């Protein structure tokens, strides 16, 4: 059964060019994967230790020692392997494949005879397997294993890791479900659900899809499994502080009500968005099978809430450090923001799946917003340090001296004790080529603009599209069609929501978009012949963005955005005390490539007003007087902040308001 009739282009059929996405993809291949392998092997001086590979060695009987790290440490190696798989799909490379194969041998050896695989429980507490689903991440790690295995099989044709994953999935299928004698549990951290859908798609085994659906449908039902298992354990928890984990609230796990009844995003953001992604997968199959629209309806409600009420302008989500969680509508503080890199990545996954269900630019817009802002900010220009938390305002001293800012780091870190984000970034950017298009025999949807060449088979005919563009910095996108035979299809071009005056021409002749636009895509239906070209102009003036009035934090402020890229001010360009800068609503900005920046970025130059500090003695307060001077300012892409000297940063800037 097909989820929808839209296909993704296999990674091997997309060749990325030298655009921003292509360069990040290349950075993953050349720098990030080798760096992360070292990190996973504790070979980065001064970095937090991982020991992820060592844990597998111990579990495989190749080394002696204790388990080290988070209970979900295995997932870091799995995510790295998944990123390697995507990289091998586009750039086969023997040395990297040999390295991955050696890791896979180790993983296979660590698998238990009954298919179970988790180094924490194998090494440290073998008798406690499956006794604490709420906290212990066994199903989460299984999900990441499955995703890596599917990707590795698709990239290399090698089955070893897939067989390992299938054995584990079968073990899980035997253990869990509604049948008598099975545990009626579900994961504390969602992830396995979307992975099982991938396993179903690659093996054709429907029981994996059924199991994914079971985990979703069981969630949030009374009596709560997490309460039952807690009682069964004698009311003990995994973490020293978690003796009463059910008290943390079922919302944390999105287990407060059945998933189809959930209308607003609550609780841990990554858990939530992995779950919504799986719900969107199931929605596709439900629509195709029973015609059941309730899954899609639930996804739509959650989508609306996340993207219209609880998302930062950067595409960051999950504003609260406590529980790494969503809070409530319009609660998006800038300087204490959590906005975990993984959560923005998970939003991309959700958006991508919604796009496949209903091609509409609003999904691709959010995907793009997250990618170019709240996801990319997680990685330094050299690919060797990372942010876990992505605030929209940083004052370094506050981060070190205030307890409520202690999660905010003013500089990227080499690695983390809890290192979920860096390999998640690696797997997303290693596979970024697959997010550009969707297609079927009638249409090719172009969702993302970036230089690349992609090959399609439309009604049995070979078609290739080549995008030439400097997007997201430059406004023009040229798409050349090559096809040995004339081929009839609709080219569906996304008209980004941020662009007010998109224009399209075919073979040099402008076309009228009115009447041919559907859900934010311009539909150009033609008999395409070799050498046809389409040009898209996406004017990118610098926009001064306002936030919804409900967003308390940003009342009276603006953020600069150009195209899909959100900008920020940094101390290194604009001096200290960024809070004293005020922007006029009429201020004009020019956009130009920076000549002295670690990466190739467009910066914005303009003017602002700065509060004049002279005349103040040592009084803390005094009667108001308006004294400001005109100053030049430079804004840099938010994602690229903290690549030079440490210092203050701010996205939302005070606006000079007049009557
Ligand atoms: O729990 C596994 C991962 O670690 C989560 O997705 C992240 O939020 C971090 O807590
Ligand atoms: Zn993370």
């Amino acid at each position: 059964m097909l989820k929808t009739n839209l296909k993704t282009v296999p990674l091997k059929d997309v060749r990325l060019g030298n655009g921003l996405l292509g360069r990040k993809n290349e950075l993953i291949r050349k720098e990030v994967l080798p760096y992360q392998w070292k990190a996973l092997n504790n070979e980065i001086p001064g970095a937090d230790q991982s020991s992820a590979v060592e844990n597998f060695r111990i579990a495989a009987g190749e080394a002696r020692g204790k388990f080290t790290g988070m209970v979900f440490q295995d997932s870091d190696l799995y995510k790295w392997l998944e990123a390697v798989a995507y990289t091998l799909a586009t750039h086969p490379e023997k040395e990297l494949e040999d390295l991955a194969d050696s890791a896979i041998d180790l993983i296979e050896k660590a698998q238990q005879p009954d298919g179970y695989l988790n180094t924490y429980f194998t090494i440290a507490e073998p008798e406690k397997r499956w006794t604490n689903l709420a906290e212990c991440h066994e199903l989460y790690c299984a999900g990441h294993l499955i995703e890596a295995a599917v990707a590795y099989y698709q990239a290399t044709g090698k089955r070893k890791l897939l067989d390992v994953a299938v054995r584990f999935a079968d073990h899980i299928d035997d253990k869990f479900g509604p049948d008598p004698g099975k545990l009626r549990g579900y994961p504390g951290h969602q992830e396995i659900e979307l992975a099982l859908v991938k396993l179903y798609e690659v093996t054709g085994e429907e029981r994996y899809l059924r199991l994914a659906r079971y985990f979703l449908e069981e969630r949030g039902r009374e009596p709560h499994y997490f309460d039952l298992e807690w009682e069964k354990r004698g009311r003990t928890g995994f973490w020293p502080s978690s003796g009463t984990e059910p008290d943390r609230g079922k919302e944390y796990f999105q287990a407060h009500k059945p998933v189809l009844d959930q209308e607003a995003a609550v609780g841990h953001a990554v858990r939530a968005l992995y779950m919504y992604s799986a719900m969107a997968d199931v929605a596709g199959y439900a629509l195709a099978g029973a015609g059941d629209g309730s899954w899609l309806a639930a996804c739509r409600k959650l989508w609306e809430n996340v993207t219209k009420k609880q998302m930062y302008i950067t595409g960051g989500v999950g504003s609260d450090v406590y529980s790494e969680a969503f809070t409530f509508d319009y609660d998006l503080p800038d300087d204490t923001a959590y906005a975990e890199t993984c959560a923005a990545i998970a939003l991309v996954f959700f958006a991508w799946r919604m796009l496949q269900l209903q091609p509409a630019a609003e999904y691709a817009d959010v995907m793009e917003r997250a990618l170019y802002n709240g996801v990319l900010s997680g990685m330094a220009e050299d690919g060797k340090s990372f942010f876990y938390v992505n605030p929209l305002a940083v004052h370094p001293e506050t981060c070190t001296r205030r307890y409520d800012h202690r999660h905010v780091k003013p500089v990227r870190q080499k690695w983390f004790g809890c290192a979920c984000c860096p390999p998640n970034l690696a797997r997303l950017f290693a596979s970024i080529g697959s997010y550009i298009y969707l297609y079927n025999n009638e249409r090719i949807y172009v969702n993302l603009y970036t230089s690349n060449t992609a090959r399609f088979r439309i009604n049995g005919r070979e078609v290739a599209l080549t995008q030439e563009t400097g997007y997201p910095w430059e406004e023009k996108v040229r798409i050349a069609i090559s096809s040995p035979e004339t081929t009839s299809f609709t080219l569906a071009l996304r008209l980004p929501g941020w662009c007010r005056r998109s224009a399209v021409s075919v073979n040099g002749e402008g076309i009228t978009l009115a009447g041919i636009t559907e859900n934010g895509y311009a539909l150009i239906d033609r008999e395409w012949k070799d050498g046809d070209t389409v040009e898209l102009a996406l004017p990118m003036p610098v926009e001064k963005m306002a936030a919804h009035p409900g967003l308390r934090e940003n009342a009276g402020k603006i953020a600069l955005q150009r195209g899909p890229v959100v900008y920020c001010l940094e101390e290194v360009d604009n001096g200290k005390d960024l809070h004293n800068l005020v922007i006029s609503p009429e201020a004009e900005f020019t956009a130009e490539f920076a000549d002295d920046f670690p990466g190739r970025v467009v910066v914005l130059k303009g003017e602002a007003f700065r509060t004049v500090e002279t005349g103040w003695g040592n009084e803390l307060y005094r009667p108001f007087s308006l004294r400001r001077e005109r100053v030049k300012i430079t804004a840099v892409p938010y994602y690229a902040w903290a690549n030079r000297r440490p210092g203050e940063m701010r996205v939302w800037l005070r606006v000079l308001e007049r009557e």
Side-chain angles (χ1 to χ4, degrees):
M1 196 203 306
L2 278 179
K3 187 165 52 181
T4 69
N5 74 351
L6 288 171
K7 292 182 279 193
T8 53
V9 184
L11 273 177
K12 66 173 174 35
D13 292 338
V14 184
R15 179 99 359 213
L16 289 165
N18 193 28
L20 179 55
L21 298 183
R23 284 191 300 107
K24 295 293 175 187
N25 176 271
E26 188 179 68
L27 185 72
I28 300 294
R29 179 164 61 86
K30 292 193 169 156
E31 304 292 341
V32 178
L33 291 177
Y35 178 89
Q36 295 198 349
W37 176 250
K38 284 193 185 148
L40 295 172
N41 283 281
N42 302 345
E43 290 167 9
I44 304 285
D48 282 358
Q49 300 280 286
S50 163
S51 302
V53 177
E54 185 64 6
N55 288 336
F56 276 96
R57 279 199 196 98
I58 298 168
E62 289 191 357
R64 293 172 70 84
K66 288 194 172 142
F67 177 90
T68 309
M70 309 299 288
V71 69
F72 47 86
Q73 207 77 344
D74 292 0
S75 59
D76 295 344
L77 179 61
Y78 296 147
K79 282 189 251 181
W80 178 84
L81 268 173
E82 189 184 337
V84 168
Y86 299 138
T87 298
L88 292 175
T90 51
H91 292 82
E93 201 186 296
K94 182 161 176 351
E95 211 179 312
L96 184 61
E97 192 167 331
D98 287 349
L99 186 62
D101 284 343
S102 71
I104 290 168
D105 288 345
L106 202 55
I107 292 169
E108 188 191 37
K109 272 182 105 175
Q111 185 164 40
Q112 302 302 292
D114 61 356
Y116 183 84
L117 180 50
N118 182 292
T119 70
Y120 173 77
F121 283 96
T122 298
I123 298 170
E125 298 198 283
E127 71 294 349
K128 292 199 180 159
R129 286 180 186 188
W130 306 130
T131 57
N132 188 345
L133 298 188
E135 293 176 296
C136 286
H137 290 69
E138 284 156 292
L139 292 169
Y140 167 87
C141 289
H144 280 301
L145 164 67
I146 293 168
E147 285 202 87
V150 169
Y152 203 73
Y153 170 68
Q154 286 175 329
T156 63
K158 292 182 181 170
R159 286 201 61 100
K160 188 182 272 189
L161 194 60
L162 188 64
D163 290 341
V164 169
V166 162
R167 282 197 293 276
F168 196 13
D170 290 347
H171 172 90
I172 292 167
D173 196 26
D174 284 347
K175 269 272 170 280
F176 293 95
D179 306 334
K182 292 190 177 183
L183 296 171
R184 286 200 70 146
Y186 48 86
H189 193 314
Q190 302 88 321
E191 152 63 28
I192 193 166
E193 302 85 345
L194 68 85
L196 284 167
V197 175
K198 289 187 178 182
L199 191 61
Y200 158 63
E201 286 166 353
V202 83
T203 61
E205 287 285 353
E206 282 214 21
R207 65 206 153 90
Y208 299 134
L209 182 59
R210 274 201 299 276
L211 186 58
R213 192 164 165 158
Y214 157 77
F215 280 136
L216 290 170
E217 287 178 333
E218 192 60 25
R219 196 169 203 90
R221 298 204 178 280
E222 300 279 358
H224 273 286
Y225 186 79
F226 297 159
D227 291 338
L228 299 178
E229 63 167 13
W230 186 61
E231 294 293 346
K232 209 162 148 193
R233 287 195 309 270
R235 302 183 164 222
T236 57
F238 180 76
W239 311 100
S241 59
S242 63
T244 57
E245 92 267 16
D247 294 338
R248 190 162 200 181
K250 302 292 181 310
E251 291 196 347
Y252 172 71
F253 310 96
Q254 298 77 39
H256 55 301
K257 36 170 122 159
V259 300
L260 291 181
D261 298 341
Q262 299 190 20
E263 298 187 350
V266 292
H268 186 269
V270 184
R271 283 169 165 82
L273 285 154
Y274 283 0
M275 179 176 98
Y276 307 157
S277 300
M279 286 169 67
D281 282 338
V282 169
Y285 289 111
L287 285 175
D292 174 2
S294 54
W295 288 88
L296 180 58
C299 290
R300 269 300 312 177
K301 280 190 189 146
L302 292 164
W303 172 264
E304 283 285 311
N305 180 260
V306 171
T307 62
K308 308 265 169 58
K309 304 277 178 2
Q310 298 205 64
M311 181 181 77
Y312 285 99
I313 193 168
T314 55
V317 279
S319 63
D320 195 353
V321 56
Y322 179 70
S323 294
E324 311 178 300
F326 286 106
T327 53
F328 55 96
D329 295 355
Y330 306 121
D331 181 47
L332 295 165
D334 292 333
D335 59 352
T336 56
Y338 201 70
E340 182 182 342
T341 304
C342 282
I345 291 171
L347 178 59
V348 171
F349 295 159
F350 182 34
W352 175 234
R353 285 164 172 81
M354 293 302 284
L355 189 62
Q356 288 171 64
L357 291 177
Q358 304 177 309
E362 78 167 289
Y363 301 121
D365 284 350
V366 167
M367 186 166 90
E368 179 180 72
R369 180 179 291 284
L371 276 176
Y372 283 121
N373 302 290
V375 174
L376 257 191
S377 57
M379 180 167 68
E381 287 290 323
D382 68 359
K384 292 178 182 156
S385 60
F386 306 90
F387 277 138
Y388 187 121
V389 168
N390 295 279
L392 282 78
V394 168
H395 181 260
E397 188 179 0
T398 307
C399 302
T400 52
R401 301 188 61 157
R402 278 194 67 100
Y403 188 75
D404 60 352
H405 282 62
R406 69 195 186 286
H407 59 290
V408 179
K409 303 282 176 246
V411 291
R412 291 184 182 80
Q413 310 288 297
K414 292 179 180 179
W415 204 246
F416 303 91
C418 172
C420 48
C421 302
N424 220 358
L425 253 164
R427 69 180 180 138
L428 176 59
F429 274 95
S431 58
I432 199 69
S434 61
Y435 292 81
I436 302 172
Y437 304 99
L438 281 168
Y439 77 108
N440 58 23
N441 273 333
E442 287 82 47
R443 280 189 190 175
I444 299 180
Y445 286 93
V446 187
N447 308 309
L448 295 178
Y449 298 112
T450 191
S451 68
N452 76 92
T453 297
R455 291 187 291 129
F456 307 81
R457 261 193 102 71
I458 308 269
N459 286 319
R461 298 183 177 185
E462 294 285 338
V463 177
L465 298 190
T466 298
Q467 286 192 39
E468 285 171 22
T469 175
Y471 192 95
W473 313 123
E474 293 169 14
E475 302 175 341
K476 293 251 185 289
V477 181
R478 182 175 184 276
I479 303 177
I481 288 97
S482 45
S483 170
E485 297 163 273
T486 301
T487 311
S488 172
F489 63 90
T490 303
L491 188 63
L493 300 174
R494 172 178 151 248
L495 305 174
W498 54 258
C499 186
R500 302 186 200 206
R501 287 183 298 109
S502 312
V504 180
S505 65
V506 178
N507 295 332
E509 274 189 36
I511 59 173
T512 310
L513 295 177
I516 63 157
T517 304
E518 183 184 289
N519 295 328
Y521 284 82
L523 306 180
I524 310 172
D525 187 12
R526 280 173 67 95
E527 293 255 307
W528 296 96
K529 54 182 183 355
D530 201 40
D532 280 348
T533 57
V534 176
E535 284 196 351
L536 191 61
L538 301 170
M540 293 180 180
V542 177
E543 298 277 11
K544 298 180 200 84
M545 306 293 290
H548 184 282
L551 218 158
R552 303 176 307 283
E553 179 91 5
N554 295 327
K557 294 184 187 162
I558 52 119
L560 301 174
Q561 182 173 329
R562 180 174 179 271
V565 179
V566 174
Y567 281 76
C568 68
L569 298 194
E570 282 197 278
E571 182 180 329
V572 58
D573 301 304
N574 303 291
K576 277 189 173 304
D577 296 333
L578 297 177
H579 59 277
N580 282 333
L581 288 173
V582 186
I583 308 264
S584 156
E586 282 86 42
E588 304 260 336
F589 289 87
T590 57
E592 54 196 67
F593 279 105
D595 43 20
D596 55 352
F597 206 84
R600 181 176 152 80
V601 300
V602 162
V603 297
L604 309 180
K605 304 238 178 199
E607 283 191 344
F609 296 91
R610 186 181 266 283
T611 310
V612 174
E613 287 177 24
T614 52
W616 281 85
N618 70 354
E619 68 272 41
L620 190 52
Y621 307 103
R622 73 175 195 193
F624 177 77
S625 73
L626 192 61
R627 301 212 345 197
R628 293 186 177 127
E629 65 184 8
R630 221 176 250 275
V631 291
K632 301 235 177 285
I633 58 167
T634 300
V636 301
Y638 167 74
Y639 81 78
W641 87 275
N643 273 288
R644 295 169 294 167
R645 282 205 302 282
E648 294 177 27
M649 181 277 291
R650 178 169 282 255
V651 170
W652 288 97
L653 310 165
R654 285 166 52 206
V655 73
L656 186 67
E657 288 190 72
R658 303 214 180 90
E659 278 291 321

